[in-house]
Amino acid sequence: MKRSDINLLARQARACFEAHGWALPPQPRWDVCDFGMGDVWSKGLLLINLAEEPEYCEKLMYQRRGMVCLAHTHKVKKEDIICRWGELAITVWPGHPRESHSGDFSVNVNAQPRTCRPGERIVLEAGERVTLVPGIYHAFEPASDEVIIGEVSTANDDLNDNFFADEGVGRFPTIEEDEPAEVRLLSEG
């Protein structure tokens, strides 16, 4: 992934956050995920870690139309994914997306149980949220041109608790330095 793409994405995210009243902390903890594929514009998202405590974490995320957060699950982490601005589409499965699943399953949407079919797409409007428990595979992407996403979860372990549906998927980008960095990423120490 090119540093120029990271810089551009960070500028776009910052402009979107500012335009919609989301103030960043004094020293934002920037993170970019391209799933090790080098093309954040089709498979990826930008994250800012707002809180990382032993019991919980909070993130603010940004995506543009065309960017997808690939299907994954967690064995430990429980999370609420919240549409903070725009529209967010989340696809859910009760287990690995490539496995056969019989019957419906339940996911809490806005704190209410919702019966879903495997691979169902849930579209959240601003302020709405979905609660994802360990084992529920999920992928998400904007249903609007841009989306601001919140995450509140139990403790986060990006190195050991992300399980992707596709093999060979990574969490952190390999960076090609084609211009000076405008933001420092968590993965850069």
Side-chain angles (χ1 to χ4, degrees):
M1 169 184 230
K2 291 183 177 183
R3 178 67 68 178
S4 57
D5 286 329
I6 294 169
N7 289 341
L8 176 58
L9 182 57
R11 285 193 305 271
Q12 291 172 340
R14 190 183 299 270
C16 186
F17 294 150
E18 289 174 4
H20 301 291
W22 286 92
L24 298 180
Q27 295 179 323
R29 298 188 50 146
W30 295 90
D31 190 4
V32 172
C33 181
D34 70 350
F35 304 100
M37 298 183 174
D39 183 9
V40 73
W41 304 109
S42 65
K43 295 175 180 71
L45 71 155
L46 177 137
L47 309 92
I48 297 175
N49 289 12
L50 300 176
E52 292 180 77
E53 300 296 331
E55 308 84 8
Y56 68 92
C57 86
E58 181 180 6
K59 295 178 183 176
L60 189 62
M61 298 178 278
Y62 171 81
Q63 285 182 309
R64 299 181 65 79
R65 189 178 300 277
M67 298 171 76
V68 177
C69 178
L70 299 178
H72 65 286
T73 191
H74 311 283
K75 289 189 179 176
V76 176
K77 183 167 89 168
K78 177 181 179 182
E79 60 190 331
D80 272 11
I81 303 293
I82 308 135
C83 182
R84 296 293 189 191
W85 180 84
E87 292 180 318
L88 179 66
I90 300 177
T91 305
V92 293
W93 299 266
H96 197 288
R98 285 195 204 27
E99 294 176 1
S100 176
H101 303 284
S102 60
D104 296 337
F105 65 105
S106 182
V107 171
N108 279 356
V109 177
N110 301 318
Q112 299 297 315
R114 176 171 167 174
T115 301
C116 295
R117 296 175 318 280
E120 184 168 332
R121 186 175 193 246
I122 301 166
V123 177
L124 302 177
E125 301 289 331
E128 294 185 313
R129 68 185 170 106
V130 62
T131 302
L132 302 166
V133 298
I136 298 293
Y137 274 81
H138 51 284
F140 56 87
E141 63 188 298
S144 52
D145 288 338
E146 295 177 296
V147 66
I148 298 173
I149 309 156
E151 176 189 308
V152 177
S153 71
T154 55
N156 186 58
D157 182 354
D158 273 332
L159 297 176
N160 301 300
D161 195 32
N162 284 315
F163 300 91
F164 294 96
D166 296 321
E167 290 186 28
V169 172
R171 171 61 180 84
F172 299 104
T174 299
I175 301 171
E176 176 188 331
E177 301 293 349
D178 64 333
E179 67 182 36
E182 293 178 17
V183 298
R184 182 183 175 120
L185 301 180
L186 284 174
S187 59
E188 297 177 300

